[in-house]
Amino acid sequence: MAASDRTARPKAAFVYMVRCTGGQLYTGWTNDPAARLRAHRSGRGARYTRAHGAEGFAYLERCADRCAALRREAALKKLPKAQKELLCTAWQAAGRPFAEHGAGSAG
């Protein structure tokens, strides 16, 4: 029973945009930003980033759980590129919140 108590709380999830080498943005979600960025950079990520390369996170947002991250991902994908770029700029200006999770560090 103790194991189920530990898994009862929803695991935090993240929605992100990765900047590709040509300047494009790829949007996705993950429970582990650092591992997901490593996968994109190594060619084990999405087909799009395998073809276009991945430089790093342009935007990273913490969500309450997987369902919230999926909803947010869908909303971000519907935005025009100019609005996505504004989000990325604001994220940079805010000091890249949650970026430590995606910078390749253990923490």
Side-chain angles (χ1 to χ4, degrees):
M1 278 290 203
S4 64
D5 292 341
R6 280 181 263 151
T7 59
R9 195 172 132 218
K11 187 175 181 183
F14 297 82
V15 67
Y16 64 88
M17 287 188 265
V18 167
R19 176 81 56 196
C20 296
T21 54
Q24 309 92 330
L25 291 169
Y26 172 82
T27 305
W29 80 275
T30 184
N31 291 113
D32 186 346
R36 191 67 178 140
L37 184 57
R38 282 192 302 273
H40 282 303
R41 286 180 169 165
S42 69
R44 292 179 291 114
R47 183 181 303 163
Y48 190 87
T49 57
R50 281 196 298 271
H52 294 90
E55 293 179 354
F57 286 123
Y59 180 78
L60 186 63
E61 177 183 331
R62 186 181 183 119
C63 298
D65 57 23
R66 176 183 175 270
C67 290
L70 287 168
R71 283 191 303 272
R72 182 65 173 146
E73 176 191 14
L76 289 176
K77 285 181 174 183
K78 291 178 183 177
L79 293 177
K81 176 105 188 298
Q83 284 186 293
K84 292 177 188 179
E85 292 292 352
L86 286 174
L87 278 176
C88 295
T89 300
W91 182 71
Q92 289 277 48
R96 298 171 47 101
F98 310 113
E100 69 275 6
H101 296 287
S105 67

